[in-house]
Amino acid sequence: MDARRHDPDQVRAGGPAGDGTVVDVLVAGGGPAGCAAAIVCAAGGLRTVLAERADGPRDRPGEALHPGAESVLAGLLPDGFASVVGARHEGIHVGWGGEPRFEPFGSDADGPWRGFQVDRRRLDGLLLDRARQAGAEVRMSCRVLEPLVEGGVVTGARTRGPGPGTATIRARTVIDATGRARWAGRALGPAAAGRPRSPRLLIRYGYALGASPARDAAPAIVADHTGWTWTARVEAARYQWMRLDLVPEQRSRTWLPEEFAGLTPEGPPRAADVTWRLSGAPAGPGWFVVGDAGAQLDPSSSHGVLRALLSGWTAGGLTAAVADGANPHQAAATYRQWLYEGAERDIHHLAGTYARLGARGFG
Ligand SMILES: Cc1cc2nc3c(=O)[nH]c(=O)nc-3n(C[C@H](O)[C@H](O)[C@H](O)COP(=O)(O)OP(=O)(O)OC[C@H]3O[C@@H](n4cnc5c(N)ncnc54)[C@H](O)[C@@H]3O)c2cc1C
C-alpha cells in the first residue's frame, strides 16, 4: 500500500492533524466544492483535512439546482438527500428579451427531468457529515491564512482557529475551495487570480413570504436590456427573488419584483458580486482551485452548485490518482483543460445571451 494512504479509522484514533503535521490533502473551504473534494479524497484513503472558516453551515444562496445535480449528489451522498429537497420543477419560464415561455429541462424513458430547490444550510451540513464519515478531519471555525510556498510549490498553509493561535498544516496537495473569497488567487498574486471576464455585476436577492400561485409550478427568469429578474418558490409559502441590473438603478430596501407585490419581505435584501471570473492558475503540481474559486459566472448560468460539485469531485479524483503514482504535472494539466473548456464554453454562451439583450461589455 502506498505510504501516503491511510485507514480512516487510524486518523480518528490518531487524533487531529496538528501544528506542523503532514497530511495528504488540505481542503480550504467547506461548501459543495470543498466537501466533494474531501469526500472523494478521504474515501480514496488519503489523509484529508478540510478547514472551514465558519462555525457551521450557513444559509446561503444557490438553492435552485439543475436536474444534473441529482445524480452527482446521489454519488456523493449514498444515504440520500431527500430531507433537504424543497420544491421541484420540470423547467423554467424564460422571457429573455421577449414574452416568457416555458422551457422544459427534457425527459427520458423514466419521465421528465426535474430541477429542485435545496436548503443550502442543510445540504452543506449533509456534505460535511459525509466528509467526516469518509474519514476526513473537518475543522470548523478554522480560517486558512497564507499558503506555504517552497521552491515555487504550494506545500501547505497556515491556519487560525478553532480557538486562538495559528497552526501550520503541510499537505502534499492543497485544494482551494473558498468560493468567492478566492483564497489562492488573492494569496498567489494577480496572474493566479486571473482577470474579470465580464463587466462588474452586482446582484441583489431576497426572500418573501406569502402566496404567489403563478410561481408555484416553476421558476421564471425575465430579462431586457436593463437586467434580469429571477423568481422561484423555495418551499411552501416562501419565495426567492434575484435582480441583476445592467443599467444602474436605485432600489429601496423594501423593493420586490412586481409579481411578489402582495408578499412580505423576509428580512432586508442582500447583495453579492457575481462578476464572471476564471482563475489564472487553477491547478499545478500539488494544488487545485475548485468551485467558484476556480470559475464563477452569475447565477443566470444556472449551475454554479453543479459545477462546484463536479470540479471538487474531479480534483479529488486526480489527487487520488497522483497518490497512486500518476504524474502530478499531467494531473494538473488534465484539470486545467477540463475546467477551462467547460468555463469558456459557458462564458461564450452566456456572453451571447447578454449581447442579444443589447447589454454592453459582453464581447
Ligand atoms: C445570489 C446568488 C444566487 C445563486 N443562485 C444559484 C442557484 O440558484 N443555483 C446554483 O446552482 N448556483 C447558484 N449560485 C452560485 C452558487 O451559490 C455557487 O456556485 C456555489 O455555492 C459555489 O460553491 P463553492 O463550494 O465553490 O463555494 P461556497 O459555497 O461559497 O463555499 C466556500 C466556502 O469557503 C469558506 N471559506 C472562504 N474563505 C475561507 C478561508 N480563508 N478559510 C477557510 N474557509 C474559507 C466559506 O466560508 C464557504 O463556506 C448563486 C450565487 C449567488 C451569489
Side-chain angles (χ1 to χ4, degrees), residues 12-355:
R12 283 195 285 272
D19 198 30
T21 303
V22 176
V23 294
D24 294 313
V25 189
L26 169 62
V27 180
C35 286
I39 291 167
V40 171
C41 289
L46 301 181
R47 188 174 187 192
T48 304
V49 171
L50 183 154
E52 163 57 52
R53 70 181 174 189
D55 57 1
R58 299 265 170 94
D59 288 332
R60 63 176 86 215
E63 299 132 314
L65 299 202
H66 189 272
E70 192 160 10
S71 56
V72 181
L73 283 172
L76 291 167
L77 298 168
D79 292 338
F81 54 97
S83 61
V84 305
V85 174
R88 302 214 61 158
H89 50 279
E90 295 180 4
I92 296 175
H93 295 280
V94 180
W96 197 266
E99 276 304 301
R101 61 192 171 88
F102 183 69
E103 293 190 1
F105 290 123
S107 62
D108 59 24
D110 294 331
W113 299 335
R114 295 197 300 162
F116 50 108
Q117 299 284 336
V118 287
D119 179 328
R120 272 296 300 273
R121 175 192 285 261
R122 287 164 61 205
L123 176 66
D124 289 9
L126 273 189
L127 287 164
L128 284 166
D129 284 347
R130 172 70 190 123
R132 290 186 187 96
Q133 193 193 20
E137 184 196 325
V138 174
R139 294 184 175 191
M140 302 305 290
S141 304
C142 180
R143 179 184 288 269
V144 177
L145 304 172
E146 72 280 355
L148 308 176
V149 183
E150 290 164 28
V153 176
V154 178
T155 56
R158 217 160 55 81
T159 62
R160 175 175 299 120
T166 61
T168 299
I169 300 179
R170 293 185 182 280
R172 290 186 171 85
T173 299
V174 177
I175 298 180
D176 173 11
T178 55
R180 283 180 289 131
R182 299 191 303 281
W183 166 72
R186 289 178 202 270
L188 298 174
R195 61 190 171 81
R197 297 295 299 270
S198 71
R200 184 153 190 257
L201 298 176
L202 280 181
I203 198 163
R204 243 177 299 203
Y205 63 99
Y207 298 84
L209 304 174
S212 180
R215 205 41 55 233
D216 283 351
I221 186 162
V222 176
D224 62 23
H225 71 283
T226 66
W228 57 257
T229 304
W230 161 272
T231 46
R233 181 169 75 113
V234 181
E235 57 190 315
R238 186 164 182 259
Y239 298 84
Q240 189 212 27
W241 60 267
M242 291 189 252
R243 173 71 197 174
L244 188 146
D245 285 313
L246 293 166
V247 175
E249 178 74 46
Q250 289 293 329
R251 295 188 188 276
S252 77
R253 286 172 67 78
T254 53
W255 182 85
L256 282 180
E258 219 171 284
E259 70 169 281
F260 288 170
L263 275 61
T264 308
E266 185 192 64
R270 294 162 229 184
D273 183 334
V274 291
T275 306
W276 308 348
R277 293 178 187 280
L278 194 49
S279 165
W287 96 84
F288 294 95
V289 185
V290 300
D292 277 7
Q296 174 189 283
L297 294 172
D298 73 74
S300 67
S301 71
S302 83
H303 53 259
V305 171
L306 176 58
R307 192 175 37 235
L309 293 167
L310 285 176
S311 60
W313 191 323
T314 304
L318 288 165
T319 301
V322 169
D324 273 340
N327 181 319
H329 294 273
Q330 187 60 47
T334 300
Y335 181 77
R336 273 198 304 273
Q337 186 181 353
W338 176 83
L339 187 82
Y340 279 156
E341 274 181 10
E344 292 292 1
R345 195 173 48 238
D346 288 350
I347 286 173
H348 180 75
H349 172 75
L350 208 53
T353 63
Y354 276 101

